[in-house]
Amino acid sequence: MHRSSKAITFVSLLALIASSFQVIGVQAQKAAALSYCDQAQFVTDVTVPDGTGFYWGVTFQKTWRLKNVSTCTWTTSYNLVYVGGSQMGAPSVVPFPQSVAPGQTVDLTVPMTAPSAPGTFIGYWELQDPSGAYFGIGSGYSHSFWVKITTTTPQQLVTSFDFTQNICSAQWSYDGGPIPCPMNTTKLNYGYVQVLDNPTLETGVGAGAPSLLTVPQNKFNGSIRGTYQVSLVPGDHFQTTIGCEYQAYSCFATFELDYLNGSSLVTLWRAREKYDGLVYPVDIDLTSISHARINGLVLIVSAYGDASGDLPIWVAPRIVRYLAGPVVTPTPGGPGAPTYTPYPGSSPTPFSASSCDRAQFVSDVSVPDGTTFTPNTSFTKTWRLQNVGTCTWTTAYNLIFVSGDRMSAPASVLLPQTVVPGQTVDVGVNLTAPPTGGEFRGYWELADPSGAVFGIGPNADKPFWVDIRVSGTATTSSAAYDFAANLCQAQWMSGAGSLPCPGSDGDARGFVLGASNPQLENGNSSNAQGMITFPQNTYNGYIRGVYPPFMVQSGDHFQSIVDCAYGVTQCFVVFRLDYQVNGGIVQTFWSWAEKYDGLYYAVNLDLSPLAGQNVNFILTVLSNGDPTGDRAVWVAPQIVRSGAGGAVPTLAPTNIPTNTPVPATPTPAPPTPTAAPSATNTPQPGTLTYVNQTYGFEFNYPIQGLISNQTATGAHITLPFAPGTNLVEKYLDVNVATNAATCSSPQTQGYAPGSYQSQQVAINGINFVKQSGEEGTAGSVFDWVAYSTLKGTNCISLSFTLHSSDPGVYPTPPPTFDMASESAVFLNIVSSFAFLGP
């Protein structure tokens, strides 16, 4: 954020000081979680990735995906809580939408409003247990996660047409005739439309605006539509948010925006919405039809199967028009200005806009680098700094935490006195040594009253730090297995099939390369051997290497530094350590989402839960969407063993220039996975075995398959397919329906009787119901075939899907995929299906 002036009024200064004390008070009062029972891991930004730009005053929904890596179940008595920074109009507390068992993920959503000032805004959030104790992510599970946006001066935004205000100017109908407006309570079975002033959505949060409830005719695949007469100009947009009404658990419908071209109905947009605790914003550019002579815009909702319980909502459906507006220059520190608290793992921005604020490190008054403490020891770190700028630091300035290990410190501490240019000041903060042994470093800077951050160094943009050691770590250890040295002992593969090792840089199928002294994101080099893993060059592509069996001993640790290759700023990947025991199911031991941010992450995982077993470790990297630039680097990936004599190769970067700290990274507490059960059959070459011990069955699947969303009653397995055609994805859904009255695949839900094929087949002495069908949405086709069989009263279904795109949506249509060859693996998988035990 750039400051337009250093001058602020006396009243504003008092307000800022009061605000700063309020922030400190909140931090001081916040209770810390008393144990590691509650632990969270950040997975991804589902919406609003860092740096998303908004116009002033725009409302949006921020959703984080978090994983419960603790031993406690997060109930609906847990909360998502605001802890600092810019609140952006959000509620301070948001209850959990569902219970989250250990190992599960949850999407947490907060409605927000972009501040009415230009700049960068960051808000910090954590989790809270029912007793009021706070916990988060990172080292000690005490770090906040955040939302980070930028705002720009808006054009004047006007609503040129409001669909809720004009509800009864539309012609509402179902497939048998007109529907009255206002609604007639004696004819609700034909469908009805109603304006709700502020309905509660499936997120549990109010819509915040008048909305349309459009209930389709109460019959199988029933529908409702409203035709509006509107006038459009180039640049007009249709905007709304769609979802289901709160507690409408059986709601499953298709929303659609069409227009009438003469008597023909042309679809502009379509989306299917099921009650899942989420809502979805819609923004459709209408420029392409603004010059056409259309006969109306049409809102359509269709039931997906049974219509009972369908309560679909359009939140504030409208047509918006952007007009040129005046530029507003906000007063620094005035209303809407961000209260900036740097976030863990970030680069310390925004920096102070001028050389007015500059600091110089003088000395460590207390706790020099390398001081050793016992776990959980409280101490005070004090730095002596000199004001080498031209501005006076007032008591409205703050010492602020930037990144690394927070050590239970407050996010900010007010300066104890005024410091004129040339003077020095001793600034201190109360800290607590982490509860586990190791080396820990936390980074700190200063912030002026407007929130602009500055530090030390030639450009006043470097942090100073506290560096300690905590006793209790093993003194000697050695590398029991070096993954980088044994790079080509692994079988490398991607969605395109098996890969050569080493690979060829730039291979669109994905590639793996050895890397000597790899350069990290912060520009420094490591003195260790590493490896570069690039996923298949496709949306959400992956690469993985399956290593030979390794006998794990108690106390073994997997260690590595993971980050993106230096300078590849588009990199956004997920690192994962998977494993397989005795040909059993592949399970995930650890995962980490890494985005290029100038930092690295040090992994240190206790493998003791796998002790005594021969384990195939699998290094996996997945693209988080677009794979462009996803050069993922593993530095010194190895299994280390304590007490074996010898030294582990150092993971720390070398050649670090003075006053250029390398941000330390937290060491997560490892999950405690359950060892995979042994399979009763031997997988065929090139396959892995899925085993479900709970319901007693197993089958083989291609080694390139990736398992996700695994529970006791099912899993999702992506399958490899030939690239270069219109086939988008191929996958298998495993499902167990307990106490089933009839045995049928979940894939048949929503289909009218007789609209899909069904027959009895026997494969390897097991009777299956084979069902198949096809469904389509805008631009996509889903061909599916499912095999279902009973074991006792439990219905086990293997449902296979081929998702292809309509070649007509491409400027140059790709070849059509070979249905027979792509589906051949389905029968191979079913043929390997076997029951376990009696």
Side-chain angles (χ1 to χ4, degrees):
M1 184 194 75
H2 296 286
R3 297 171 298 152
S4 60
S5 170
K6 282 294 293 182
I8 56 176
T9 65
F10 180 72
V11 173
S12 298
L13 179 58
L14 288 178
L16 284 166
I17 294 172
S19 174
S20 298
F21 275 112
Q22 289 170 1
V23 171
I24 299 302
V26 169
Q27 294 292 339
Q29 294 169 12
K30 189 175 72 170
L34 297 179
S35 73
Y36 281 132
C37 165
D38 284 318
Q39 304 167 348
Q41 177 179 302
F42 171 79
V43 178
T44 190
D45 292 307
V46 179
T47 64
V48 192
D50 289 352
T52 300
F54 291 101
Y55 286 128
W56 298 0
V58 172
T59 58
F60 61 94
Q61 300 265 350
K62 171 65 185 183
T63 302
W64 299 274
R65 181 164 295 157
L66 301 177
K67 185 176 182 179
N68 184 345
V69 293
S70 63
T71 58
C72 293
T73 295
W74 301 341
T75 68
T76 52
S77 296
Y78 280 62
N79 294 301
L80 172 67
V81 291
Y82 165 75
V83 296
S86 181
Q87 193 164 352
M88 304 185 211
S92 297
V93 178
V94 178
F96 268 44
Q98 65 198 60
S99 291
V100 187
Q104 289 186 334
T105 61
V106 63
D107 289 356
L108 299 177
T109 300
V110 183
M112 297 183 175
T113 302
S116 296
T120 299
F121 298 85
I122 305 174
Y124 298 91
W125 295 76
E126 293 183 19
L127 304 179
Q128 183 186 51
D129 71 14
S131 71
Y134 285 61
F135 65 99
I137 62 175
S139 175
Y141 302 97
S142 60
H143 294 315
S144 307
F145 40 96
W146 58 87
V147 52
K148 179 182 179 182
I149 69 168
T150 60
T151 59
T152 55
T153 305
Q155 297 168 309
Q156 185 181 354
L157 179 65
V158 298
T159 298
S160 63
F161 188 85
D162 188 314
F163 290 80
T164 54
Q165 290 181 3
N166 294 281
I167 177 175
C168 289
S169 69
Q171 297 178 357
W172 292 94
S173 62
Y174 69 110
D175 59 11
I179 293 174
C181 183
M183 68 178 185
N184 185 333
T185 56
T186 66
K187 298 183 178 181
L188 297 184
N189 278 337
Y190 296 121
Y192 62 91
V193 60
Q194 181 182 9
V195 173
L196 303 179
D197 289 336
N198 183 22
T200 301
L201 304 176
E202 59 188 279
T203 57
V205 178
S211 306
L212 282 181
L213 173 65
T214 46
V215 180
Q217 183 186 12
N218 190 19
K219 71 169 189 177
F220 197 88
N221 290 342
S223 65
I224 183 174
R225 68 175 59 183
T227 303
Y228 288 83
Q229 300 301 315
V230 296
S231 297
L232 302 175
V233 300
D236 280 356
H237 280 235
F238 172 80
Q239 293 184 351
T240 187
T241 295
I242 62 170
C244 295
E245 193 168 18
Y246 183 58
Q247 295 183 339
Y249 301 115
S250 60
C251 177
F252 195 3
T254 300
F255 289 77
E256 195 170 319
L257 176 67
D258 292 18
Y259 71 92
L260 280 171
N261 183 5
S263 59
S264 299
L265 201 61
V266 182
T267 300
L268 287 168
W269 160 86
R270 179 187 294 132
R272 188 171 293 164
E273 162 65 357
K274 188 175 184 179
Y275 192 98
D276 56 6
L278 300 174
V279 294
Y280 300 93
V282 180
D283 189 331
I284 309 298
D285 189 347
L286 303 177
T287 300
S288 62
I289 62 171
S290 61
H291 295 294
R293 295 180 60 85
I294 67 172
N295 300 100
L297 279 177
V298 187
L299 304 185
I300 302 177
V301 170
S302 304
Y304 190 72
D306 184 3
S308 60
D310 282 350
L311 297 174
I313 291 177
W314 308 74
V315 178
R318 62 205 179 277
I319 295 173
V320 298
R321 188 168 296 168
Y322 293 96
L323 305 175
V327 176
V328 179
T329 302
T331 302
T339 303
Y340 180 76
T341 306
Y343 50 93
S346 75
S347 58
T349 56
F351 294 115
S352 186
S354 73
S355 60
C356 157
D357 284 320
R358 305 176 68 88
Q360 179 176 300
F361 172 77
V362 178
S363 65
D364 292 309
V365 178
S366 67
V367 191
D369 288 354
T371 300
T372 299
F373 292 98
T374 57
N376 297 314
T377 299
S378 298
F379 64 96
T380 300
K381 170 67 183 184
T382 303
W383 299 270
R384 182 164 295 155
L385 304 174
Q386 184 177 14
N387 183 347
V388 293
T390 59
C391 289
T392 296
W393 303 343
T394 69
T395 52
Y397 279 62
N398 286 275
L399 172 70
I400 59 171
F401 173 72
V402 175
S403 66
D405 294 293
R406 187 162 165 178
M407 306 183 208
S408 302
S412 62
V413 178
L414 289 170
L415 262 61
Q417 63 192 63
T418 297
V419 187
V420 300
Q423 280 189 332
T424 61
V425 62
D426 290 353
V427 290
V429 61
N430 295 324
L431 305 169
T432 301
T436 57
E439 297 183 8
F440 300 89
R441 177 177 284 194
Y443 294 89
W444 294 77
E445 294 191 40
L446 301 173
D448 73 10
S450 71
V453 179
F454 64 98
I456 62 177
N459 299 315
D461 60 356
K462 304 298 182 186
F464 37 96
W465 59 86
V466 52
D467 184 288
I468 68 167
R469 290 176 173 81
V470 177
S471 59
T473 57
T475 57
T476 60
S477 59
S478 65
Y481 191 82
D482 189 321
F483 291 86
N486 293 283
L487 177 71
C488 292
Q489 294 298 312
Q491 181 179 358
W492 291 93
M493 65 203 71
S494 71
S498 296
L499 301 174
C501 182
S504 299
D505 201 335
D507 190 339
R509 298 174 300 168
F511 57 87
V512 59
L513 303 169
S516 298
N517 307 117
Q519 192 173 15
L520 304 179
E521 285 185 34
N522 56 19
N524 295 300
S525 296
S526 170
N527 64 354
Q529 184 71 17
M531 44 202 279
I532 297 172
T533 45
F534 194 101
Q536 182 187 9
N537 191 22
T538 186
Y539 194 85
N540 288 339
Y542 71 91
I543 184 173
R544 69 179 184 178
V546 181
Y547 279 80
F550 175 86
M551 178 61 72
V552 179
Q553 295 185 13
S554 180
D556 284 355
H557 279 237
F558 174 83
Q559 292 184 354
S560 181
I561 281 176
V562 295
D563 73 343
C564 295
Y566 178 68
V568 188
T569 57
Q570 293 174 289
C571 176
F572 193 4
V573 296
V574 175
F575 287 86
R576 216 168 67 186
L577 179 67
D578 298 332
Y579 70 96
Q580 183 184 33
V581 179
N582 297 328
I585 190 170
V586 174
Q587 300 194 64
T588 297
F589 196 87
W590 162 86
S591 65
W592 173 259
E594 172 68 12
K595 191 173 184 179
Y596 193 94
D597 55 6
L599 305 173
Y600 60 80
Y601 189 86
V603 187
N604 188 3
L605 305 173
D606 186 355
L607 301 177
S608 295
L610 302 176
Q613 303 183 82
N614 263 320
V615 180
N616 292 95
F617 285 104
I618 305 169
L619 302 188
T620 303
V621 170
L622 305 97
S623 292
N624 200 324
D626 184 358
T628 303
D630 285 350
R631 297 179 74 89
V633 181
W634 305 76
V635 180
Q638 55 196 333
I639 296 174
V640 298
R641 183 164 292 165
S642 300
V648 178
T650 177
L651 298 184
T654 59
N655 303 320
I656 303 172
T658 304
N659 287 332
T660 307
V662 178
T665 51
T667 301
T672 306
T674 302
S678 300
T680 59
N681 70 344
T682 301
Q684 298 302 310
T687 66
L688 299 171
T689 302
Y690 173 93
V691 181
N692 189 313
Q693 291 281 24
T694 304
Y695 295 100
F697 65 92
E698 66 181 10
F699 57 84
N700 298 333
Y701 65 96
I703 198 169
Q704 298 94 336
L706 286 176
I707 294 181
S708 61
N709 301 332
Q710 185 177 347
T711 66
T713 58
H716 179 84
I717 307 176
T718 58
L719 300 173
F721 58 90
T725 71
N726 69 323
L727 189 59
V728 176
E729 58 180 341
K730 181 164 70 174
Y731 54 87
L732 161 62
D733 286 313
V734 185
N735 179 264
V736 180
T738 58
N739 299 316
T742 59
C743 193
S744 182
S745 167
Q747 197 72 38
T748 63
Q749 295 178 7
Y751 280 82
S755 62
Y756 57 88
Q757 297 182 2
S758 181
Q759 64 182 114
Q760 298 286 335
V761 297
I763 301 175
N764 288 344
I766 299 176
N767 293 319
F768 291 91
V769 178
K770 179 183 178 182
Q771 299 162 311
S772 60
E774 179 182 283
E775 61 178 295
T777 60
S780 293
V781 176
F782 296 84
D783 292 286
W784 60 270
V785 59
Y787 296 82
S788 303
T789 187
L790 277 170
K791 184 178 184 183
T793 60
N794 300 321
C795 177
I796 303 167
S797 297
L798 307 185
S799 304
F800 302 90
T801 300
L802 295 168
H803 172 199
S804 59
S805 58
D806 182 353
V809 304
Y810 295 90
T812 304
T816 303
F817 76 95
D818 188 328
M819 176 75 77
S821 63
E822 292 294 352
S823 58
V825 70
F826 300 165
L827 187 57
N828 294 338
I829 292 173
V830 177
S831 298
S832 69
F833 183 92
F835 292 123
L836 302 176

